[in-house]
Amino acid sequence: MIPSFSIGTKTRGGGPRGIAAWFVLMLTSALAGEFQLKPGDSLPATVFVVRAQPGPHTITLAPGRYFLTEPLVLDDRDSGLTIRGAGRGAVAEIYGGQPVAGWEKWKDGIWRAPVPKDRPFYNLIVDGKPAVMAQTPNAGSGFGGGAQKLSNTAIRVPAEWRGYDFSDAQVSAFIGGNWFSEMRAPTGFDSATGTLSVDPGQGAQFGGMNARIFVRGVLELLDAPGEWCLKHKEGFVYYWPESGTPADHLIVRPVGERVLEVHGRSPQTPAKDIVVENVSLIGSDFSRRWHLFAPGQDGSTPEPFQQGLVFGENVSGLKVVACRILAAGHSGVWLNRHARDCTVESCHISGAGFAGVYANGYMPGEGPFRSAAESDVNRGHRIENNLIHDCGKFIGGGCGIQLYQCGDTLVTRNRILNMPRYGVSYKGLRWGLFPKKPFGRELTFDSHFDHLHTRNLRITGNEISSVCRNSFDFGGIESWSPGRDNLWANNALHDIDQTLDWDGWAHVLFADDASHWLTIRGNIVHHCHGGRLTGAFMMKSLNQVIENNLVADCGIGRVVTLEPYCEPGGNFTIRRNVFASDGAFSRYAPSKDTFTGLAGTLDKLPPGVGGIKEVDFNLIAPRDPGNPNDLAGKGVDTHSLFGDPKLVRAKPDWDLSFRDYTLAADSPARKLGFKDIDVSAIGLRADFPFDAAAATRREATAKLQAEDYQRMHGLRTSAGTGIYFTNAGTWAKYENLDFGDGVSKAVFRLDATTIGNAAQTPFVSRYGETVAGAQPFKGDASVETVTRWEISKPYSSPGKSGPQLFDEAFEPERDIKAGTWRPMLEPAQTRAGIRGEPGVVDFDAANGEGHANSCAYARASIHAEHGRTNATMTVSCASGVKVWLNGQLIIAENKPGTFSETKKGIINPGWNTVLVKVNQDSAKWSPRTSGHGNFWFKFGTVASSCGEIVSLPGLPTDERAQASTTGSLIELRLGSPDGKLIGSLEPGMTECPVVSTSGVQNLFLRFPGDRVRSVDWFKFEK
Ligand SMILES: [Ca+2]
Ligand SMILES: [Ca+2]
């Protein structure tokens, strides 16, 4: 038997001690080669002792809990070591911290316990999951909570927060176009003004903090079950248990940002062939601040943030197999810099603050290297058969698997779900941003690929769903400026929906800038949704191939965005695919560069590169059967077939998985050469060692965020907040809910308007399924911005510059009812991810960018209870603007600026129309990366003393929203959207009885009318 010890090495590779020497004797006399530990024994001390013996060794952990006082650090002296858990299912649990004891009731539901003073930590692990650091608004209920962004380094908190203690606070902030989020640390608090200063994060390179911020880590914000807060100066941690008391839970405070660190002492002396198998590794710390890149860079994560619960650097052949890796503060597994031939296999990774698995190489041209080949140090990994879910807990850019400058790697058979951003992503650096002389050598376009190590990646057989739930410009699988010759094959991607900007950029398979020589083959994309600029695929780079894929049951704006942009693009191939879902707006959304190729950041196209190489032999169910192929004249799809693909679905829509699609024997796809996709090679292997359904099961009595559905029909999500657009017949599916031994009541959190049951329904404009309600003015003495418009296409005239179009009257100017219009209900986002502020109408972003020397129009209506005169109307623009009020020209300025008119500001009782025209300056168009650009306006009016006054996009209409006056707001159904009705929420109510429901169920929220504006969360009670 091994005696119990609580000794540990104090520093990495620390020297021997007397007690350790005695320990060696005990161990070696007990067993040679294999060392057995039981709970209470010290793992670091054992490693320290084992290291002194000739190996290789195996340390076997008996089932039970092992708590570390500091990270376990292995190095090259431990090469060949295996750490293995005894028993099945990783029941030996290594915690990266200490249990918190001594809880006492504090107030309300809140308990507190002593912890070491002056030792801040940023993650509290409760039953293997990260608790929510006290925040406002509460998790899953949006942003702000009264706090407002002032600048990239300051926010203003509400007046009632001014007495709060912000010494443990953090500010979580999405930045710029919502690609990434950062965690900011306070640098000062001015209680007189309520101004909380924070560090600058990465700086304003991507636009700095946007409005999607929240404050966390303030005790006064601890107001809900599941929240915790540290007061590190007091030495107390506070927690409100989700159920029972703290004694009913295992609550652990982390002691480091890594739990298991495998770190060879130099790149030349890697730690080799270390195996960690069948153990649970639970809980590591997050950090006071975090950002993804160094300021001014778009590359490697800065050194302090290169963190994983399992961390490997200077490693070769590290294997992490059949482990549970839970509640990592940063990433679950992080393979840093020099890391070769590592394996992460058959693991269950969940609750990570950032990514499930991250491999991080050197930025091109950086590091202690003399050549490109020398710098290729992170490669050869295999990431296979892992269940990775619910990561991105602290970082909104969190994803399943991400590789940076890491290549020759196989990512296969993983099941990835519930991420704020990507399922799988990998990145390098695009030509246009490349260092000009890496390692002192001149660079050519051809030789720059030598420096791009994110190459020869095989992303195959993965199942990815419910990702991209809280970020913009996303992809289920994504690449940005990697090296050559990557493959995405035989993956299934489903239930990935646009969340932040319905009509904005997103692609399920998103080959973003400079994804050259990428092949996308044999993938199944189903049940993905989004508007105009959302597609199944992006194709913009050199020599890409999209072949033999199936797209079905998607509601998307385009199938492929086939448009080079920024970097060189051409030689496009799209062949033998089955597009059973067509784009609602366009199939390929081509630009003129699509047919010629684009040199982009090169002076000219590389030799042999043209536009389309082959877009043909596809089977397409066309949106418009009467005009199935408007690109036939361009040589596109000339041999393709248009019509019913004869797709056989084995299950009803709400239950379909990728396994349920087959093509009928007589499907025309076969004649075109389409090969059946092997669905048996997708998703977790049969030998996955954990119960995946149990791992992702939710309790029905916990708060269920409405936006965390597994499938939806017809509605929309506002990222991190809720669902809306719940028109009659829409539904959302919540899978795998455990109702335990029964519940009797459902409780909902709805928006105030729905609860208020207002008798007066607003005016509406309808655009197909989109309904825009009238926006009320506050009616105070200030100028209030009109935020929703209908906009025209860009108009131009041959040979005329933008300013010269100022006095040329196009269709809408001659007759406001004429022309083609479409709604612009929220700020458009540019392709570079720059989102306009509310009320800034950016025609460039809205019309797809690149419209130099044109003008455009916008129209809106204002309905006033009482008329008034001298209503100051203000418009801002970047070039020239005209404003007509009720057909009268009130402002005409052919120059940039802000212009006001008061005397002609006459608001009539009833309806008024506003028409705005703006033109562009005569500068050559270039993509906008900050500011508003050069083709926009913002308009507002004073609306005081007008009584009830609202604005509506487009022309006046008297149609009002139809509220369902009878029937319920929400139906709760089991099994299917029309399955057993277990409860109905009645108008004016926020809770309803539920017929006794127990066990594990799939629940559907079905909306019988259109009276619910939005749902934030719901839960069941006994
Ligand atoms: Ca709270
Ligand atoms: Ca919510």
Side-chain angles (χ1 to χ4, degrees), residues 138-142 704-708 718 720-723 1015-1018:
N138 286 340
S141 294
L704 299 160
Q705 297 296 339
E707 63 274 23
D708 291 344
S718 47
T721 308
I723 56 174
V1015 185
D1016 178 350
W1017 54 261
F1018 61 98

Side-chain angles (χ1 to χ4, degrees), residues 741-765:
D741 54 9
V743 298
S744 64
K745 186 165 101 170
V747 179
F748 290 83
R749 177 163 168 167
L750 309 175
D751 63 283
T753 309
T754 301
I755 298 166
N757 198 14
Q760 182 66 9
T761 55
F763 295 106
V764 294
S765 291

Side-chain angles (χ1 to χ4, degrees), residues 656-711:
L656 261 175
S657 84
F658 65 89
R659 294 182 189 85
D660 301 316
Y661 292 101
T662 49
L663 283 164
D666 61 344
S667 168
R670 300 186 189 283
K671 289 192 210 107
L672 295 168
F674 185 87
K675 300 273 186 295
D676 285 325
I677 296 169
D678 180 9
V679 295
S680 70
I682 302 178
L684 292 171
R685 298 189 320 233
D687 66 349
F688 182 72
F690 304 106
D691 181 341
T696 53
R697 189 163 295 145
R698 291 176 288 179
E699 285 183 24
T701 51
K703 217 191 242 187
L704 299 160
Q705 297 296 339
E707 63 274 23
D708 291 344
Y709 57 79
Q710 274 65 53
R711 179 160 296 170

